[in-house]
């Protein structure tokens, strides 16, 4: 997902398309640009790794959803690893290295969900 897509999704479905397009910039500004860039690089890496694990192009890949914010919510590394193992349960190649590397890469990252207190 590109930063633009994420902004649209975050801004919610309450507004018409024109309003949403207008608000998109504001929503993105709430986030630290460096964090966004890190997240994008990580997402691209994940897609590339999944392509290798499943031995196919992105378009042919089975539905695999790795939610970085969900992983960051986990209590500890073990819980994160378990979530990833469950997600990749149907992958026939060994996933240990991918999981270990992903956990290393997300260490120190922050969630990108907007603060819940603010009402839009």
């Amino acid at each position: 997902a590109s930063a633009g897509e994420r902004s649209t999704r975050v801004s919610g479905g309450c507004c018409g398309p024109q309003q949403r397009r207008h608000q998109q910039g504001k929503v993105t500004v709430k986030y630290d640009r460096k964090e966004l860039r890190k997240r994008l690089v990580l997402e691209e890496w994940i897609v590339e790794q999944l392509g290798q694990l499943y031995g196919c192009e992105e378009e042919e890949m089975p539905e695999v959803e790795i939610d970085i914010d969900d992983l960051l919510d986990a209590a500890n590394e073990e819980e994160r690893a378990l979530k990833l193992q469950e997600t990749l349960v149907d992958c026939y190649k060994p996933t240990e290295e991918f999981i270990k590397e992903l956990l290393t890469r997300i260490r120190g990252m922050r969630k990108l969900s907007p603060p819940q207190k603010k009402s839009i």
Side-chain angles (χ1 to χ4, degrees):
S2 72
E5 285 176 57
R6 180 174 289 107
S7 307
T8 304
R9 214 176 323 143
V10 170
S11 67
C14 60
C15 332
Q18 283 169 319
Q19 262 183 302
R20 189 179 294 147
R21 201 176 306 123
H22 180 70
Q23 288 182 336
Q24 196 170 324
K26 280 189 212 162
V27 176
T28 306
V29 173
K30 280 185 189 173
Y31 306 121
D32 179 350
R33 283 189 186 281
K34 252 191 278 183
E35 282 294 316
L36 264 180
R37 198 169 295 121
K38 261 197 271 184
R39 181 66 63 100
L40 273 170
V41 168
L42 180 63
E43 285 177 2
E44 283 165 14
W45 178 83
I46 289 172
V47 169
E48 185 188 309
Q49 294 299 307
L50 289 176
Q52 288 174 19
L53 283 173
Y54 285 94
C56 61
E57 295 299 312
E58 191 176 342
E59 302 77 46
E60 302 157 6
M61 213 177 286
E63 192 65 37
V64 177
E65 190 174 324
I66 293 178
D67 184 336
I68 297 164
D69 285 338
D70 187 42
L71 290 174
L72 292 172
D73 264 345
N76 53 40
E77 294 272 310
E78 289 76 34
E79 200 177 304
R80 289 174 182 168
L82 276 172
K83 283 181 183 219
L84 285 167
Q85 282 164 358
E86 285 169 23
T87 303
L88 301 168
V89 74
D90 60 350
C91 182
Y92 62 91
K93 290 186 182 175
T95 58
E96 292 79 20
E97 282 304 309
F98 167 70
I99 290 173
K100 207 169 11 173
E101 178 68 22
L102 178 52
L103 293 179
T104 303
R105 285 173 181 245
I106 66 171
R107 216 170 278 147
M109 281 183 114
R110 292 198 305 269
K111 285 181 64 175
L112 286 183
S113 304
Q116 295 304 307
K117 286 176 284 217
K118 288 186 178 177
S119 57
I120 299 171

